[in-house]
Amino acid sequence: MQQILRLRGELLWVLAGHAAAFLGGLVGIKLLTRQLGASEYGHLALGLTIAGFLTTFLHNPLSNAAARFYAPYRDCGKENLYFFVLRSLHTKLLLLLILPVMVGSLLVYMAKGSVWGGLVLWGLVFGMISGIGVSFLAWQNAARDRRNATLAQIGDVWLRIGCAIFAAIFLGSGSAALGGYCVGSFLVVLWQYRMFRGQQQQQSRVAVVPQEEQVSQAQHEFVTFVLPFVGYALFTVVTLYADRWVLQLAAGTASVGIYAALFQIAASPVNLLFAIINQLMVPIIYERAGTMTSSAQRLEVRRLIMRIMLFAVICSGTGTVLTALLGHPVALLLTTTEFTRHSDLLWMLVLGLSLWQVGQLMALVGICANRPGIYLWPKAIHAFVLLGVGGYLVVSYGVNGMAAALIIASVAYLVAVGVVNFRLERLLRIS
């Protein structure tokens, strides 16, 4: 009974956080598209891809380790070691990035001018700030501290949007809006860091100070787990951001802005659904998986993932149908007429994004077995199909061609992940 009450409380916090973040995202799309227009909104979208590039390669892999190892370290009485290692790795990463970010931004400014120099600078800074926040959020969710995770999530969305709109009103550029994103996220990360340090100090008072050998072993474990994620980050970057750059090269910045705005509208309900699933259920899956060495653990994890996937498929199918029926009025409500002319993109984007997210859920099987590297080639297939098919279709069909390529690439990814999971199950049975 107590466990049911706890799950109900966690669910309420998760739903409240994502509902507020969902609303904030839609408000941001409406106000920023109106204030910036398609071209400058395209600059903002490209700047966000630069931030995503940095986060995907470095911070997201580390956040996966933060989520995966919290429960095992806590259960072994090594929570203090967990906090020490996570902080140490982030500090080293931050010091490593500062100089290259400044030099790279200066070189782009000298070669391409202030518009692109500003986009690169603010994009990379936003990537560093938001990346740290992602790791803090992963720790809070792994610890099932739903209240503070929800507050951080709400604060991040609304402060980012508020600061971006303020900057856009007074400066009127995509680079300025991106700078506003940096300010908003920085305020939230400061609060998260305070929570993190408080928890670390609390553990330090009751636990033995980690020995150098323990720290070295823990860092090796974290890095070993993270490296496969870094290895296929290139394909993840293509999956998440290549569509904007293909459009930039083939159709120009205004097309990027139109596609990005409609993509965000389509992604909002999809991301809401799967973020709730990931935030609520993935920590539970990790707890049930444990060391993933017994057949009982594998069976329980597989059953749980299958149930979650069934729920996700039903919700995604319903959402795709509703978007096909209501796409035009939704686009008109949330953007301007400049964007609404391409509202038929929405249902295609919802379908493509949903299929890819279902594939991500399927990949939890290998991640729970501490073998994330086995999904390298499915990521590669998705990336190459998206680039190849997208580049071809955009020339003939513009932004609609990119949406069609997303669907085709997502189907290929689903099939590839299914094949990998089948092979993994056979291997685990033999072992």
Side-chain angles (χ1 to χ4, degrees):
M1 184 64 182
Q2 185 177 1
Q3 186 177 10
I4 294 175
L5 291 175
R6 182 185 180 186
L7 285 173
R8 186 178 68 177
E10 290 183 12
L11 178 61
L12 290 175
W13 274 112
V14 170
L15 291 175
H18 285 292
F22 175 76
L23 179 60
L26 296 182
V27 170
I29 294 170
K30 177 64 177 179
L31 296 179
L32 287 173
T33 53
R34 182 178 179 180
Q35 189 65 40
L36 295 175
S39 183
E40 285 301 325
Y41 197 83
H43 282 142
L44 173 61
L46 292 172
L48 291 174
T49 66
I50 296 170
F53 179 88
L54 182 63
T55 304
T56 302
F57 267 102
L58 300 175
H59 295 97
N60 282 355
L62 191 52
S63 72
N64 284 322
R68 180 65 185 95
F69 289 120
Y70 177 79
Y73 274 69
R74 178 200 60 198
D75 295 342
C76 293
K78 297 179 180 178
E79 199 170 353
N80 187 40
L81 178 61
Y82 168 90
F83 287 122
F84 186 90
V85 170
L86 189 60
R87 182 189 177 196
S88 174
L89 290 175
H90 269 296
T91 301
K92 292 176 181 177
L93 184 59
L94 184 62
L95 294 175
L96 183 67
L97 287 173
I98 290 176
L99 183 59
V101 165
M102 300 303 296
V103 173
S105 301
L106 180 60
L107 291 175
V108 173
Y109 173 81
M110 294 171 62
K112 295 292 185 179
S114 59
V115 173
W116 287 102
L119 283 178
V120 171
L121 174 62
W122 289 119
L124 292 174
V125 171
F126 179 61
M128 290 191 295
I129 296 171
S130 61
I132 296 172
V134 167
S135 274
F136 284 146
L137 191 61
W139 154 65
Q140 289 172 318
N141 283 320
R144 298 172 72 171
D145 183 6
R146 307 299 187 186
R147 176 181 176 274
N148 286 320
T150 297
L151 293 175
Q153 184 180 8
I154 294 173
D156 184 54
V157 171
W158 282 94
L159 283 173
R160 273 195 292 113
I161 295 301
C163 293
I165 292 170
F166 181 84
I169 289 173
F170 286 95
L171 298 175
S173 70
S175 296
L178 192 56
Y181 270 48
C182 294
V183 174
S185 288
F186 181 72
L187 295 174
V188 175
V189 168
L190 281 180
W191 178 77
Q192 287 179 298
Y193 179 71
R194 181 182 176 186
M195 300 291 296
F196 181 86
R197 285 290 292 158
Q199 191 67 24
Q200 183 182 19
Q201 290 170 358
Q202 181 180 344
Q203 288 297 318
S204 299
R205 288 194 291 267
V206 298
V208 178
V209 177
Q211 300 298 314
E212 185 176 346
E213 183 178 355
Q214 290 179 307
V215 172
S216 178
Q217 290 176 349
Q219 286 182 340
H220 181 266
E221 185 176 29
F222 272 61
V223 172
T224 301
F225 181 82
V226 160
L227 283 178
F229 291 98
V230 176
Y232 58 67
L234 175 61
F235 305 120
T236 303
V237 166
V238 173
T239 295
L240 296 177
Y241 308 116
D243 47 4
R244 277 81 161 173
W245 290 98
V246 170
L247 284 168
Q248 169 69 15
L249 293 174
T253 308
S255 293
V256 176
I258 291 169
Y259 177 85
L262 294 174
F263 186 95
Q264 285 179 282
I265 294 172
S268 292
V270 176
N271 290 343
L272 175 65
L273 170 64
F274 286 92
I276 291 173
I277 290 173
N278 285 316
Q279 191 170 339
L280 186 65
M281 297 307 300
V282 169
I284 297 174
I285 292 172
Y286 283 159
E287 284 188 352
R288 300 284 178 85
T291 57
M292 198 72 169
T293 53
S294 70
S295 58
Q297 287 175 323
R298 294 196 300 270
L299 180 61
E300 185 174 7
V301 167
R302 187 166 64 250
R303 285 177 176 173
L304 184 55
I305 292 175
M306 288 298 295
R307 290 170 184 167
I308 295 170
M309 284 176 54
L310 178 61
F311 172 76
V313 167
I314 293 172
C315 293
S316 299
T318 303
T320 301
V321 173
L322 290 175
T323 307
L325 296 173
L326 303 173
H328 184 78
V330 168
L332 186 60
L333 175 66
L334 296 176
T335 61
T336 65
T337 54
E338 186 179 12
F339 298 83
T340 307
R341 289 194 295 269
H342 298 274
S343 60
D344 56 326
L345 280 176
L346 285 174
W347 76 267
M348 301 171 69
L349 293 170
V350 168
L351 178 59
L353 289 167
S354 297
L355 291 172
W356 184 77
Q357 289 282 12
V358 171
Q360 293 290 89
L361 288 178
M362 292 172 61
L364 284 171
V365 174
I367 294 173
C368 286
N370 291 339
R371 300 186 185 188
I374 61 176
Y375 298 108
L376 177 62
W377 74 265
K379 293 278 188 182
I381 287 175
H382 185 277
F384 286 128
V385 171
L386 184 64
L387 272 179
V389 177
Y392 173 77
L393 292 180
V394 165
V395 174
S396 301
Y397 303 101
V399 291
N400 291 67
M402 198 70 244
L406 178 63
I407 296 174
I408 296 169
S410 297
V411 171
Y413 179 61
L414 269 175
V415 173
V417 173
V419 171
V420 168
N421 284 353
F422 177 75
R423 291 178 176 175
L424 175 63
E425 182 60 27
R426 291 181 60 185
L427 179 63
L428 292 175
R429 284 178 182 175
I430 295 173
S431 300

